[in-house]
Amino acid sequence: MYKIERKSEIVNILEQSGKVDVGYLSARLGTSRETIRRDLQEMEEDGILKRTHGGAVFAGSIPGSPLELPVAVREIQHSGEKDAICRKAASLIRDGDNIFLDNSSTCLYLLKYIPPKANVTIITNSVKLLSESVNYLSPNHLVICLGGIFHASNHSLYGNTALKNAADFYPSRTFMSCSGIRPDSVTDASILEVDLKRLMMERSQEVILLADHSKFTRSGQVFLSDLSGIDMVITDGKTEKDQTAFLPGMGVELLIAEFHP
């Protein structure tokens, strides 16, 4: 198991139980206690957790709360699934596209799959995505930062400045994630950026929701949109068929990105 996969599983366990034990993690992940301790130390340095005697607990956010987890935590949750979803999503990007990528941790995985030979304009409010773009984008890719008020834990920008700047664009495609999907709604975790997402959805020719299997079993604290605002959902193969059965009947195209750990 790769380090990112171990850390992703550690976060998943923390989210469910609120704490982790070195011995339990060593047995469950099939690796040594020393390796687990190094992983926990690195995750503490990244602000994800706080080490305790023999284990660790979440740093800051309370497991099970509706508050948005820091991007450092979300980035490693379900990392393999997010990578597969974004590989599938990138296949939809065409030469000349003008795309909006939101501040979700999922969209960070999309950068490396954007076709390097395609002329693509990327609009975003994600500071994390801007910094990551240095490692992946080609000279054919133009990145536009919307500006605004800096949301430190989310590494994103919001507010009137971001909205005013976003009003100048009509994306060919909007790629975004969410906190949860239900037949009656798509929900998000942060009220700070929901207005910007709605604006980009309204102005986009096509809205594509990138949602791993966990999004179909939970709900966020903020209403983002009903399903009429979504054209396509891309999820991973771990999503149960009955959890997505309502999408086609509501006019939403469903794509499955196969993930093989």
Side-chain angles (χ1 to χ4, degrees):
M1 181 179 284
Y2 293 109
K3 180 186 293 188
I4 186 65
E5 294 173 322
R6 291 197 306 271
K7 290 183 176 180
S8 177
E9 185 62 21
I10 290 169
V11 168
N12 292 339
I13 296 170
L14 274 172
E15 192 174 30
Q16 293 168 9
S17 63
K19 60 183 179 180
V20 291
D21 175 82
V22 170
Y24 171 77
L25 290 176
S26 176
R28 176 159 174 170
L29 303 181
T31 191
S32 68
R33 289 171 175 258
E34 290 73 19
T35 297
I36 294 298
R37 291 192 184 97
R38 285 196 297 269
D39 288 343
L40 295 180
Q41 180 178 349
E42 291 175 6
M43 293 170 76
E44 183 176 50
E45 291 170 356
D46 289 336
I48 296 172
L49 52 76
K50 181 177 177 60
R51 285 186 295 166
T52 61
H53 180 69
V57 296
F58 255 132
S61 297
I62 301 172
S65 80
L67 298 178
E68 185 171 32
L69 293 171
V71 70
V73 177
R74 292 183 286 115
E75 188 177 348
I76 62 175
Q77 285 181 301
H78 310 295
S79 58
E81 292 89 335
K82 291 176 180 177
D83 188 83
I85 288 168
C86 285
R87 190 185 310 116
K88 189 83 166 181
S91 69
L92 304 173
I93 298 173
R94 300 290 180 261
D95 185 56
D97 267 357
N98 178 349
I99 65 175
F100 173 74
L101 304 183
D102 76 347
N103 63 299
S104 64
S105 60
T106 303
C107 279
L108 293 174
Y109 290 82
L110 185 57
L111 280 175
K112 62 183 176 182
Y113 294 117
I114 295 176
K117 294 183 179 179
N119 292 290
V120 178
T121 298
I122 302 161
I123 306 158
T124 189
N125 68 317
S126 170
V127 175
K128 180 73 171 177
L129 189 145
L130 290 172
S131 63
E132 290 289 327
S133 68
V134 175
N135 301 317
Y136 296 113
L137 300 186
S138 82
N140 296 321
H141 302 154
L142 174 66
V143 182
I144 298 174
C145 173
L146 292 176
I149 301 170
F150 180 50
H151 184 191
S153 67
N154 212 22
H155 293 198
S156 61
L157 301 162
Y158 70 98
N160 287 336
T161 299
L163 287 169
K164 288 178 181 177
N165 290 337
D168 290 333
F169 301 99
Y170 291 87
S172 48
R173 290 178 177 84
T174 281
F175 294 93
M176 61 174 56
S177 191
C178 63
S179 292
I181 307 173
R182 301 186 306 192
D184 62 341
S185 63
V186 177
T187 55
D188 209 6
S190 174
I191 196 170
L192 298 177
E193 292 137 34
V194 70
D195 287 340
L196 178 61
K197 288 188 177 185
R198 288 173 183 162
L199 178 61
M200 290 289 90
M201 291 172 70
E202 291 170 4
R203 288 172 169 256
S204 183
Q205 296 175 28
E206 186 176 30
V207 178
I208 302 170
L209 199 61
L210 312 178
D212 66 70
H213 62 278
S214 70
K215 310 298 184 184
F216 292 88
T217 60
R218 63 180 65 178
S219 179
Q221 61 179 353
V222 182
F223 175 81
L224 175 61
S225 172
D226 55 34
L227 271 296
S228 65
I230 308 298
D231 296 294
M232 179 185 297
V233 170
I234 305 178
T235 189
D236 61 84
K238 291 184 179 180
T239 307
E240 299 292 337
K241 289 184 179 180
D242 62 345
Q243 293 176 324
T244 60
F246 63 89
L247 292 173
M250 304 186 79
V252 180
E253 184 177 355
L254 176 65
L255 294 183
I256 304 295
E258 293 301 330
F259 166 60
H260 304 286

